[in-house]
Amino acid sequence: RDLCAACEELRVLFISDEIYHGITYSDAPRAASALEFSQSALVINSFSKYYSMTGWRIGWLIAPDHLSDPINRLNQNLFISAPTMSQRAALAALQPAAVN
């Protein structure tokens, strides 16, 4: 919370790597996402750890709207599409039946 607040005060972009978010030991407190404290944070996540899709190289980025165009331009030049099987498995993992 304090880091997000300091970044907003200094007008610095807070980037949160939340690849392990959602993985906890029993009786451990739930980890907070940066999005709970700042709407201007960049959050990086993946299917690798939480959905046991290690090595499939598929994930997502949550970013403020004003960064959409620059991020898309970078993405178009840095990445090629994930394999079809990985994309379909990722979509299936996000369905309500898979989450419950």
Side-chain angles (χ1 to χ4, degrees), residues 71-80:
I71 289 170
N72 282 333
R73 283 193 296 274
L74 282 171
N75 192 38
Q76 291 168 357
N77 291 291
L78 295 174
F79 302 102
I80 17 182

Side-chain angles (χ1 to χ4, degrees), residues 17-87:
D17 179 348
E18 299 186 5
I19 301 294
Y20 290 94
H21 193 264
I23 299 175
T24 59
Y25 295 102
S26 57
D27 300 331
R30 184 187 72 78
S33 170
L35 294 174
E36 295 176 49
F37 307 115
S38 173
Q39 293 304 305
S40 60
L42 262 161
V43 175
I44 302 165
N45 211 321
S46 165
F47 289 87
S48 295
K49 308 298 186 245
Y50 189 77
Y51 294 103
S52 301
M53 294 170 63
T54 304
W56 290 31
R57 304 289 183 244
I58 191 163
W60 66 91
L61 171 73
I62 300 172
D65 288 341
H66 73 278
L67 294 176
S68 182
D69 287 339
I71 289 170
N72 282 333
R73 283 193 296 274
L74 282 171
N75 192 38
Q76 291 168 357
N77 291 291
L78 295 174
F79 302 102
I80 17 182
S81 180
T84 302
M85 183 177 78
S86 298
Q87 292 181 46

